[in-house]
Amino acid sequence: MIEVVLVHGAGQSPNTWSALVPRLSHHCLVHTVTLPGHGGSTTSDMSMAGMVECVKNQIKNLNNTIIIGHSLGGSIATFFPDALSIVMIDICEATALRSLESLPMMISRRPRDFSDVEEATTWYKRHNPQCKIAKEAISGQLHLDIHTNKLTWNVDLLKTQPYWPSWFEGMDDRFLQCTNPLLILSDR
């Protein structure tokens, strides 16, 4: 049976794939990965090497595996050129590297916390109107802070800033070395 490994983007969680997993599960064995430093991950090595190792640990037979990655997850997928196929969603090297300049400002404009899931979902829908799984997507990015009793971000993305260039540099060249690559870009 073909295996599919789903890799989320920076600051996200496996909840990113909540609408896709049931559909794929009828046809293949599906694994979702929680990247280091994200959500319930037990490791915190957010270097590209650490994240690639995390994904590698989910793969049983590379020649029988399709790796699907969104954004950072797509970049990670390019480290597996011999996979049956890799699918990169919403990511290309030049755009990713250019966006890093404005990312700190974008992150600083996010609310620090939310009173409840409904407030977080409303905020997420306003900023991602095309998302049909807003509640699932945002829920996977938050945890309850026991000191404030508010929902706060699982990942302090600003603390990951030293890693950002290495997450995307060389991605296009690696992509072109893959056996069966597929790139999906959205217009949002």
Side-chain angles (χ1 to χ4, degrees), residues 30-132:
V30 179
H31 306 278
T32 58
V33 176
T34 300
L35 292 175
H38 291 70
S41 172
T42 57
T43 60
S44 59
D45 181 1
M46 295 180 75
S47 69
M48 183 55 87
M51 289 190 280
V52 168
E53 187 65 26
C54 174
V55 173
K56 184 178 178 183
N57 291 335
Q58 297 292 316
I59 298 172
K60 291 178 179 58
N61 177 1
L62 188 60
N63 297 327
N64 197 40
T65 301
I66 298 169
I67 304 171
I68 302 174
H70 172 252
S71 190
L72 171 60
S75 184
I76 294 168
T78 65
F79 281 88
F80 300 93
D82 296 325
L84 179 61
S85 184
I86 69 159
V87 179
M88 294 173 36
I89 302 172
D90 280 343
I91 186 71
C92 64
E93 183 175 348
T95 303
L97 291 172
R98 271 195 312 273
S99 72
L100 296 180
E101 293 175 24
S102 59
L103 195 53
M105 184 182 303
M106 185 185 80
I107 293 168
S108 67
R109 290 181 177 166
R110 297 188 314 181
R112 283 191 32 187
D113 53 40
F114 300 95
S115 298
D116 53 36
V117 173
E118 288 72 31
E119 180 186 9
T121 302
T122 299
W123 175 85
Y124 195 85
K125 283 180 179 177
R126 191 169 49 248
H127 291 85
N128 301 280
Q130 76 287 351
C131 185
K132 296 187 181 353

XYZ file of all heavy atoms in Angstrom, residues 30-132:
785
model
N -1.811 6.888 5.716
C -1.488 8.306 5.890
C -0.814 8.543 7.237
O -1.267 8.036 8.264
C -2.765 9.181 5.803
C -2.431 10.654 5.996
C -3.476 8.956 4.481
N 0.285 9.295 7.205
C 0.978 9.723 8.414
C 1.012 11.249 8.422
O 1.337 11.856 7.403
C 2.437 9.235 8.440
C 2.600 7.784 8.252
N 2.454 6.877 9.274
C 2.909 7.056 7.146
C 2.668 5.664 8.811
N 2.944 5.741 7.525
N 0.671 11.860 9.534
C 0.872 13.300 9.676
C 2.054 13.493 10.628
O 2.243 12.717 11.557
C -0.371 14.018 10.222
O -0.709 13.460 11.484
C -1.539 13.904 9.256
N 2.829 14.509 10.365
C 4.028 14.777 11.146
C 3.818 16.048 11.962
O 3.282 17.027 11.450
C 5.244 14.983 10.203
C 6.484 15.368 10.974
C 5.488 13.733 9.366
N 4.232 16.026 13.214
C 4.316 17.249 14.001
C 5.785 17.639 14.013
O 6.626 16.917 14.562
C 3.817 17.044 15.445
O 2.456 16.625 15.408
C 3.926 18.343 16.238
N 6.109 18.740 13.373
C 7.505 19.175 13.279
C 8.055 19.559 14.652
O 7.300 19.982 15.535
C 7.620 20.361 12.316
C 7.343 20.036 10.850
C 7.358 21.317 10.018
C 8.351 19.035 10.310
N 9.367 19.436 14.826
C 9.988 19.828 16.100
C 9.612 21.262 16.488
O 9.534 22.146 15.640
C 11.486 19.731 15.804
C 11.585 18.717 14.719
C 10.348 18.938 13.872
N 9.354 21.433 17.781
C 9.015 22.755 18.295
C 7.583 23.177 18.058
O 7.181 24.275 18.406
N 6.800 22.317 17.461
C 5.406 22.613 17.145
C 4.487 21.737 17.978
O 4.686 20.526 18.061
C 5.116 22.359 15.666
C 5.785 23.311 14.744
N 7.151 23.304 14.533
C 5.290 24.294 13.974
C 7.442 24.246 13.659
N 6.330 24.866 13.304
N 3.479 22.335 18.565
C 2.443 21.581 19.252
C 2.953 20.517 20.191
O 3.743 20.783 21.078
N 2.541 19.282 19.949
C 2.881 18.178 20.837
C 4.215 17.521 20.536
O 4.487 16.431 21.015
N 5.062 18.159 19.759
C 6.353 17.571 19.423
C 7.200 17.388 20.669
O 7.219 18.225 21.563
C 7.092 18.480 18.428
O 8.416 18.028 18.235
N 7.933 16.277 20.704
C 8.798 16.010 21.853
C 10.216 16.527 21.642
O 11.033 16.469 22.552
C 8.859 14.488 22.141
O 9.318 13.823 20.964
C 7.488 13.966 22.539
N 10.521 17.016 20.448
C 11.854 17.570 20.182
C 11.725 19.047 19.838
O 10.678 19.514 19.410
C 12.549 16.842 19.017
O 11.749 16.993 17.841
C 12.729 15.368 19.312
N 12.811 19.764 20.013
C 12.750 21.207 19.753
C 13.781 21.666 18.728
O 13.952 22.859 18.536
C 12.952 21.973 21.065
O 14.209 21.637 21.623
N 14.462 20.749 18.057
C 15.469 21.115 17.063
C 14.780 21.602 15.794
O 14.325 20.815 14.973
C 16.378 19.922 16.750
C 17.469 20.257 15.744
O 17.544 21.424 15.298
O 18.250 19.355 15.419
N 14.700 22.934 15.651
C 13.988 23.502 14.508
C 14.909 23.821 13.338
O 14.523 24.507 12.400
C 13.181 24.718 14.949
C 12.068 24.300 15.920
S 11.054 25.653 16.490
C 10.063 25.956 15.039
N 16.136 23.291 13.385
C 17.015 23.415 12.228
C 16.441 22.547 11.109
O 15.634 21.634 11.366
C 18.427 22.938 12.562
O 18.439 21.528 12.764
N 16.843 22.808 9.884
C 16.353 21.986 8.777
C 16.756 20.537 8.987
O 15.954 19.619 8.768
C 16.880 22.512 7.439
C 16.339 21.743 6.254
S 14.526 21.660 6.152
C 14.166 23.150 5.272
N 17.969 20.290 9.465
C 18.414 18.908 9.704
C 17.510 18.214 10.726
O 17.148 17.045 10.549
C 19.864 18.894 10.185
N 17.130 18.911 11.772
C 16.255 18.336 12.788
C 14.880 18.014 12.243
O 14.286 16.979 12.575
N 14.362 18.891 11.390
C 13.031 18.660 10.834
C 13.044 17.540 9.796
O 12.125 16.724 9.745
C 12.469 19.956 10.282
C 12.112 20.915 11.418
S 11.203 22.350 10.906
C 12.532 23.347 10.284
N 14.106 17.483 8.999
C 14.226 16.398 8.022
C 14.303 15.055 8.753
O 13.667 14.077 8.347
C 15.450 16.615 7.098
C 15.754 15.372 6.276
C 15.220 17.814 6.185
N 15.063 15.003 9.827
C 15.169 13.773 10.623
C 13.808 13.363 11.174
O 13.461 12.174 11.178
C 16.176 13.969 11.753
C 16.481 12.718 12.531
C 17.174 11.633 11.715
O 17.861 11.941 10.726
O 17.017 10.449 12.084
N 13.041 14.316 11.636
C 11.702 14.049 12.153
C 10.831 13.390 11.085
O 10.147 12.396 11.349
C 11.070 15.356 12.636
S 9.350 15.202 13.154
N 10.851 13.919 9.871
C 10.061 13.353 8.774
C 10.611 11.982 8.384
O 9.852 11.028 8.171
C 10.031 14.312 7.565
C 9.365 13.658 6.368
C 9.320 15.608 7.937
N 11.922 11.870 8.330
C 12.568 10.597 7.973
C 12.103 9.478 8.899
O 11.891 8.343 8.463
C 14.082 10.755 8.048
C 14.865 9.556 7.621
C 16.348 9.872 7.713
C 17.193 8.680 7.341
N 18.622 8.993 7.495
N 11.910 9.786 10.165
C 11.473 8.787 11.140
C 10.053 8.283 10.881
O 9.653 7.275 11.448
C 11.581 9.341 12.564
C 13.014 9.527 12.986
O 13.922 8.868 12.473
N 13.243 10.441 13.912
N 9.286 8.989 10.050
C 7.918 8.577 9.728
C 7.848 7.687 8.485
O 6.806 7.124 8.188
C 7.036 9.809 9.488
C 6.875 10.698 10.678
C 6.062 10.017 11.756
O 5.049 9.389 11.491
N 6.524 10.125 12.986
N 8.948 7.604 7.761
C 8.934 6.915 6.474
C 9.432 5.482 6.635
O 10.538 5.252 7.117
C 9.809 7.674 5.450
C 9.230 9.078 5.219
C 9.888 6.892 4.143
C 10.105 9.977 4.380
N 8.615 4.538 6.196
C 8.991 3.132 6.277
C 9.708 2.679 4.999
O 10.716 2.008 5.041
C 7.755 2.276 6.528
C 7.163 2.482 7.910
C 5.914 1.638 8.099
C 5.312 1.810 9.467
N 4.933 3.146 9.832
N 9.164 3.038 3.839
C 9.734 2.642 2.557
C 9.668 3.839 1.620
O 8.624 4.116 1.041
C 8.966 1.444 1.981
C 9.469 1.020 0.620
O 10.411 1.588 0.069
N 8.821 0.011 0.047
N 10.783 4.528 1.468
C 10.815 5.770 0.686
C 10.303 5.576 -0.735
O 9.605 6.434 -1.273
C 12.236 6.343 0.680
C 12.416 7.717 0.080
C 11.586 8.752 0.841
C 13.877 8.125 0.079
N 10.617 4.456 -1.353
C 10.205 4.212 -2.743
C 8.706 4.022 -2.893
O 8.187 4.012 -3.998
C 10.929 2.982 -3.303
C 12.416 3.199 -3.362
O 12.881 4.309 -3.582
N 13.169 2.142 -3.129
N 8.008 3.864 -1.782
C 6.567 3.646 -1.799
C 5.825 4.788 -1.085
O 4.698 4.630 -0.667
C 6.255 2.294 -1.115
C 4.879 1.792 -1.447
O 4.431 1.900 -2.577
N 4.203 1.259 -0.450
N 6.520 5.927 -0.936
C 5.981 7.032 -0.143
C 5.845 8.310 -0.962
O 6.766 8.695 -1.684
C 6.895 7.307 1.074
O 6.970 6.126 1.870
C 6.363 8.443 1.915
N 4.706 8.949 -0.808
C 4.475 10.281 -1.365
C 4.557 11.247 -0.183
O 3.892 11.044 0.830
C 3.086 10.380 -2.030
C 2.996 9.399 -3.203
C 2.808 11.817 -2.485
C 1.583 9.232 -3.745
N 5.374 12.274 -0.318
C 5.512 13.273 0.739
C 4.847 14.551 0.257
O 5.211 15.091 -0.789
C 6.986 13.527 1.095
C 7.664 12.210 1.473
C 7.092 14.545 2.227
C 9.173 12.320 1.629
N 3.859 15.011 1.013
C 3.134 16.231 0.671
C 3.448 17.261 1.751
O 3.235 17.001 2.934
C 1.614 15.984 0.596
C 1.299 14.889 -0.431
C 0.872 17.286 0.263
C -0.172 14.488 -0.474
N 3.959 18.407 1.335
C 4.305 19.433 2.300
C 3.756 20.789 1.924
O 3.771 21.177 0.756
N 3.270 21.503 2.932
C 2.790 22.861 2.740
C 3.860 23.833 3.220
O 4.346 23.701 4.339
C 1.487 23.087 3.517
C 1.053 24.515 3.511
N 1.129 25.319 4.617
C 0.576 25.296 2.502
C 0.709 26.525 4.293
N 0.364 26.537 3.028
N 4.242 24.782 2.391
C 5.207 25.826 2.730
C 6.505 25.189 3.249
O 7.174 24.476 2.517
C 4.580 26.810 3.722
O 5.397 27.941 3.887
N 6.858 25.414 4.501
C 8.072 24.805 5.055
C 8.048 23.291 4.868
O 9.075 22.674 4.556
C 8.213 25.156 6.538
C 9.304 24.426 7.318
C 10.678 24.697 6.716
C 9.264 24.835 8.782
N 6.893 22.677 5.025
C 6.774 21.233 4.816
C 7.154 20.825 3.399
O 7.726 19.767 3.177
N 6.840 21.684 2.426
C 7.236 21.419 1.038
C 8.740 21.487 0.866
O 9.340 20.677 0.149
N 9.366 22.442 1.528
C 10.818 22.539 1.472
C 11.463 21.297 2.085
O 12.421 20.748 1.547
C 11.292 23.805 2.201
O 12.685 23.955 2.080
N 10.918 20.835 3.199
C 11.429 19.619 3.838
C 11.293 18.429 2.892
O 12.194 17.588 2.788
C 10.693 19.369 5.171
C 11.037 20.475 6.178
C 11.025 17.987 5.727
C 10.149 20.498 7.409
N 10.177 18.355 2.183
C 9.943 17.236 1.257
C 11.044 17.118 0.211
O 11.369 16.012 -0.232
C 8.577 17.395 0.584
N 11.664 18.228 -0.174
C 12.696 18.186 -1.221
C 13.965 17.462 -0.767
O 14.832 17.179 -1.591
C 13.068 19.604 -1.713
O 13.681 20.345 -0.651
C 11.853 20.332 -2.259
N 14.070 17.162 0.499
C 15.222 16.402 0.989
C 15.043 14.901 0.781
O 15.889 14.107 1.193
C 15.462 16.705 2.477
C 16.167 18.000 2.698
C 15.444 19.176 2.821
C 17.554 18.073 2.754
C 16.083 20.395 3.011
C 18.209 19.279 2.933
C 17.472 20.445 3.066
N 13.949 14.515 0.134
C 13.667 13.109 -0.133
C 13.467 12.895 -1.632
O 12.376 12.531 -2.081
C 12.440 12.663 0.667
C 12.618 12.816 2.153
C 12.204 13.979 2.799
C 13.235 11.828 2.893
C 12.391 14.137 4.170
C 13.428 11.968 4.256
C 13.011 13.124 4.894
N 14.519 13.130 -2.444
C 14.373 13.088 -3.902
C 13.987 11.723 -4.460
O 13.470 11.636 -5.569
C 15.754 13.522 -4.410
C 16.691 13.150 -3.308
C 15.899 13.376 -2.042
N 14.224 10.666 -3.698
C 13.907 9.327 -4.192
C 12.539 8.826 -3.751
O 12.196 7.663 -3.987
C 14.988 8.342 -3.739
C 16.344 8.688 -4.346
O 16.363 9.149 -5.510
O 17.366 8.511 -3.663
N 11.758 9.697 -3.128
C 10.396 9.308 -2.762
C 9.610 8.993 -4.025
O 9.953 9.458 -5.117
C 9.718 10.443 -1.992
N 8.566 8.202 -3.884
C 7.704 7.896 -5.023
C 7.286 9.203 -5.699
O 7.294 9.331 -6.917
C 6.485 7.110 -4.550
C 5.463 6.722 -5.597
C 6.094 5.822 -6.661
C 4.278 6.016 -4.944
N 6.963 10.206 -4.866
C 6.671 11.548 -5.363
C 6.726 12.527 -4.194
O 6.542 12.129 -3.050
C 5.279 11.607 -6.001
O 5.039 12.891 -6.553
N 7.016 13.777 -4.500
C 6.873 14.830 -3.504
C 5.928 15.879 -4.071
O 5.908 16.128 -5.272
C 8.203 15.475 -3.057
C 8.820 16.302 -4.174
C 9.175 14.447 -2.537
C 9.803 17.326 -3.666
N 5.142 16.455 -3.198
C 4.197 17.494 -3.592
C 4.481 18.705 -2.705
O 4.469 18.596 -1.477
C 2.738 17.036 -3.402
C 1.773 18.145 -3.802
C 2.467 15.767 -4.193
N 4.769 19.817 -3.327
C 5.005 21.071 -2.601
C 3.806 21.975 -2.840
O 3.459 22.249 -3.978
C 6.275 21.759 -3.100
C 7.535 20.989 -2.805
S 9.045 21.682 -3.554
C 8.828 23.421 -3.483
N 3.196 22.450 -1.754
C 2.021 23.307 -1.867
C 2.375 24.711 -1.386
O 2.890 24.883 -0.281
C 0.846 22.740 -1.038
C 0.512 21.320 -1.511
C -0.371 23.657 -1.125
C -0.497 20.603 -0.636
N 2.092 25.699 -2.209
C 2.280 27.118 -1.867
C 3.695 27.470 -1.451
O 3.899 28.170 -0.451
C 1.326 27.542 -0.735
C -0.070 27.816 -1.249
O -0.218 27.985 -2.475
O -0.997 27.869 -0.440
N 4.677 27.029 -2.205
C 6.048 27.374 -1.829
C 6.963 27.358 -3.057
O 6.881 26.480 -3.891
C 6.591 26.406 -0.746
C 7.947 26.831 -0.233
C 6.617 24.983 -1.231
C 7.902 28.052 0.622
N 7.761 28.388 -3.177
C 8.893 28.397 -4.103
C 9.978 29.248 -3.455
O 9.689 30.152 -2.669
C 8.512 28.872 -5.496
S 7.954 30.562 -5.598
N 11.214 28.923 -3.742
C 12.346 29.491 -3.015
C 12.391 31.021 -3.042
O 12.478 31.664 -1.990
C 13.645 28.916 -3.576
C 14.873 29.371 -2.847
C 16.136 28.693 -3.349
O 16.042 27.709 -4.107
O 17.224 29.163 -2.976
N 12.329 31.606 -4.217
C 12.476 33.066 -4.317
C 11.381 33.797 -3.539
O 11.661 34.753 -2.798
C 12.464 33.497 -5.778
N 10.154 33.354 -3.676
C 9.038 33.994 -2.967
C 9.192 33.822 -1.462
O 8.977 34.765 -0.690
C 7.698 33.403 -3.437
O 7.605 33.570 -4.856
C 6.534 34.081 -2.767
N 9.568 32.619 -1.039
C 9.742 32.359 0.394
C 10.833 33.261 0.976
O 10.639 33.887 2.024
C 10.080 30.895 0.634
N 11.968 33.328 0.302
C 13.077 34.143 0.821
C 12.721 35.625 0.851
O 13.054 36.335 1.799
C 14.353 33.890 0.014
C 14.965 32.499 0.197
C 16.107 32.270 -0.785
C 15.435 32.292 1.631
N 12.004 36.105 -0.192
C 11.581 37.512 -0.210
C 10.606 37.808 0.926
O 10.641 38.869 1.538
C 10.945 37.872 -1.546
C 11.905 38.354 -2.594
C 11.200 39.047 -3.761
N 10.072 38.312 -4.295
C 10.142 37.380 -5.247
N 11.290 37.053 -5.757
N 9.053 36.776 -5.662
N 9.736 36.873 1.215
C 8.716 37.107 2.243
C 9.310 37.165 3.648
O 8.675 37.694 4.564
C 7.632 36.037 2.179
O 8.126 34.811 2.646
N 10.506 36.636 3.836
C 11.119 36.633 5.166
C 11.357 38.047 5.692
O 11.338 38.266 6.904
C 12.436 35.854 5.155
C 12.316 34.365 4.842
C 13.691 33.694 4.872
C 11.343 33.668 5.782
N 11.546 39.004 4.789
C 11.766 40.396 5.211
C 10.543 40.965 5.929
O 10.682 41.696 6.906
C 12.100 41.271 3.999
C 13.428 40.943 3.358
C 13.663 41.761 2.096
O 13.068 42.850 1.951
O 14.438 41.291 1.251
N 9.369 40.643 5.450
C 8.148 41.203 6.040
C 7.531 40.303 7.113
O 6.604 40.717 7.808
C 7.110 41.475 4.950
O 6.793 40.283 4.271
N 8.057 39.104 7.259
C 7.472 38.158 8.206
C 7.489 38.645 9.655
O 6.481 38.499 10.350
C 8.161 36.794 8.084
C 7.458 35.610 8.732
C 6.013 35.479 8.271
C 8.226 34.330 8.433
N 8.575 39.259 10.154
C 8.526 39.730 11.545
C 7.388 40.725 11.803
O 6.727 40.657 12.836
C 9.893 40.388 11.747
C 10.786 39.693 10.776
C 9.911 39.424 9.570
N 7.135 41.615 10.857
C 6.057 42.584 11.030
C 4.705 41.875 11.031
O 3.839 42.171 11.852
C 6.085 43.651 9.939
C 5.014 44.732 10.162
S 4.975 45.996 8.877
C 6.637 46.600 8.937
N 4.555 40.913 10.133
C 3.293 40.181 10.063
C 3.048 39.416 11.373
O 1.940 39.435 11.911
C 3.327 39.195 8.900
C 2.021 38.478 8.688
S 2.130 37.223 7.412
C 2.895 35.893 8.328
N 4.078 38.779 11.891
C 3.946 38.024 13.137
C 3.604 38.955 14.298
O 2.749 38.639 15.127
C 5.236 37.235 13.433
C 5.421 36.139 12.381
C 5.213 36.645 14.842
C 6.790 35.485 12.410
N 4.254 40.116 14.330
C 4.016 41.041 15.441
C 2.604 41.629 15.417
O 2.121 42.119 16.434
C 5.056 42.160 15.450
O 4.893 42.993 14.321
N 1.933 41.568 14.276
C 0.562 42.081 14.165
C -0.488 41.064 14.599
O -1.666 41.407 14.713
C 0.280 42.521 12.732
C 1.034 43.772 12.340
C 0.691 44.170 10.940
N 1.367 45.407 10.586
C 1.480 45.850 9.362
N 0.959 45.173 8.359
N 2.112 46.976 9.122
N -0.079 39.829 14.804
C -1.037 38.815 15.252
C -1.404 39.085 16.709
O -0.586 39.579 17.482
C -0.429 37.403 15.200
C -0.052 36.928 13.864
C 0.346 35.465 13.866
N 1.258 35.070 14.932
C 1.731 33.843 15.098
N 1.364 32.883 14.281
N 2.551 33.559 16.087
N -2.601 38.739 17.114
C -2.933 38.841 18.541
C -2.001 37.932 19.345
O -1.614 36.861 18.868
C -4.370 38.322 18.616
C -4.897 38.388 17.221
C -3.725 38.257 16.316
N -1.641 38.358 20.534
C -0.787 37.528 21.399
C -1.543 36.326 21.928
O -0.975 35.270 22.160
C -0.282 38.344 22.580
C 0.840 39.285 22.229
C 1.445 39.844 23.471
N 1.356 38.816 24.541
C 1.669 39.020 25.783
N 2.085 40.179 26.170
N 1.563 38.063 26.681
N -2.848 36.514 22.154
C -3.654 35.431 22.715
C -5.117 35.637 22.344
O -5.488 36.661 21.769
C -3.471 35.353 24.235
C -3.731 36.678 24.930
O -4.679 37.400 24.545
O -2.990 37.006 25.876
N -5.915 34.632 22.686
C -7.347 34.658 22.414
C -8.086 34.178 23.649
O -7.597 33.311 24.378
C -7.693 33.735 21.235
C -7.008 34.097 19.955
C -5.822 33.470 19.591
C -7.529 35.066 19.119
C -5.182 33.793 18.406
C -6.896 35.404 17.938
C -5.716 34.766 17.579
N -9.272 34.695 23.860
C -10.097 34.285 25.010
C -10.615 32.863 24.853
O -10.736 32.126 25.823
C -11.282 35.228 25.184
O -10.820 36.523 25.452
N -10.953 32.492 23.608
C -11.501 31.166 23.366
C -11.315 30.796 21.894
O -10.861 31.597 21.090
C -12.973 31.093 23.770
C -13.817 32.175 23.133
O -13.571 32.547 21.963
O -14.743 32.663 23.796
N -11.701 29.567 21.558
C -11.537 29.067 20.189
C -12.382 29.862 19.201
O -11.959 30.101 18.068
C -11.877 27.558 20.120
C -11.870 27.067 18.684
C -10.904 26.756 20.959
N -13.559 30.300 19.615
C -14.421 31.064 18.706
C -13.752 32.376 18.305
O -13.791 32.772 17.139
C -15.793 31.331 19.350
C -16.675 30.098 19.448
C -16.208 29.091 20.500
O -15.612 29.498 21.526
O -16.426 27.891 20.280
N -13.146 33.069 19.269
C -12.444 34.316 18.954
C -11.275 34.043 18.008
O -11.057 34.774 17.036
C -11.937 34.984 20.241
C -11.190 36.289 19.968
C -10.551 36.885 21.216
O -10.516 36.231 22.284
O -10.080 38.030 21.105
N -10.536 32.991 18.262
C -9.402 32.632 17.412
C -9.866 32.263 16.009
O -9.263 32.676 15.012
C -8.630 31.480 18.044
N -10.966 31.509 15.930
C -11.492 31.103 14.629
C -11.964 32.307 13.826
O -11.706 32.402 12.620
C -12.647 30.091 14.813
O -12.160 28.966 15.549
C -13.208 29.631 13.482
N -12.632 33.249 14.469
C -13.087 34.468 13.795
C -11.897 35.241 13.240
O -11.915 35.695 12.091
C -13.899 35.357 14.771
O -15.036 34.612 15.211
C -14.344 36.643 14.104
N -10.855 35.375 14.036
C -9.642 36.066 13.580
C -9.038 35.326 12.391
O -8.687 35.946 11.379
C -8.619 36.165 14.722
C -7.317 36.763 14.266
C -7.023 38.087 14.174
C -6.168 36.062 13.803
N -5.751 38.253 13.680
C -5.205 37.016 13.449
C -5.852 34.710 13.656
C -3.946 36.670 12.955
C -4.612 34.370 13.162
C -3.678 35.330 12.819
N -8.920 34.008 12.488
C -8.308 33.210 11.428
C -9.100 33.324 10.129
O -8.522 33.496 9.050
C -8.200 31.743 11.867
C -7.280 30.934 10.997
C -5.912 30.929 11.238
C -7.760 30.177 9.938
C -5.050 30.182 10.444
C -6.915 29.435 9.140
C -5.560 29.439 9.405
O -4.700 28.710 8.600
N -10.423 33.246 10.207
C -11.270 33.364 9.010
C -11.113 34.725 8.348
O -11.127 34.834 7.117
C -12.740 33.150 9.369
C -13.113 31.712 9.585
C -14.602 31.635 9.930
C -15.038 30.208 10.124
N -16.453 30.119 10.518
N -10.970 35.774 9.147
C -10.805 37.116 8.607
C -9.505 37.218 7.805
O -9.442 37.893 6.783
C -10.836 38.137 9.738
C -10.940 39.573 9.275
C -11.238 40.592 10.375
N -10.372 40.469 11.543
C -10.761 40.067 12.749
N -12.021 39.715 12.966
N -9.915 40.001 13.746
N -8.466 36.517 8.253
C -7.169 36.590 7.582
C -6.942 35.470 6.573
O -5.992 35.510 5.802
C -6.047 36.601 8.623
C -6.024 37.871 9.397
N -6.810 38.065 10.520
C -5.369 39.031 9.193
C -6.619 39.286 10.981
N -5.752 39.893 10.195
N -7.784 34.467 6.568
C -7.689 33.334 5.644
C -9.085 32.987 5.136
O -9.588 31.901 5.410
C -7.079 32.121 6.360
C -5.707 32.415 6.902
O -4.727 32.392 6.193
N -5.646 32.721 8.201
N -9.722 33.902 4.411
C -11.122 33.695 4.040
C -11.365 32.451 3.185
O -12.472 31.916 3.185
C -11.490 34.975 3.285
C -10.204 35.596 2.902
C -9.188 35.153 3.896
N -10.352 31.970 2.486
C -10.529 30.784 1.641
C -10.477 29.485 2.425
O -10.849 28.434 1.924
C -9.474 30.767 0.527
C -8.074 30.359 0.964
C -7.323 31.391 1.791
O -7.747 32.524 1.934
N -6.183 30.997 2.328
N -10.054 29.538 3.678
C -9.897 28.335 4.497
C -11.250 27.798 4.940
O -12.026 28.494 5.587
C -9.012 28.625 5.703
S -8.670 27.150 6.683
N -11.507 26.539 4.620
C -12.784 25.916 4.972
C -12.691 25.149 6.297
O -13.690 24.640 6.789
C -13.230 24.999 3.852
C -13.513 25.767 2.569
C -14.108 24.885 1.520
C -14.398 25.533 0.210
N -14.267 26.919 0.042
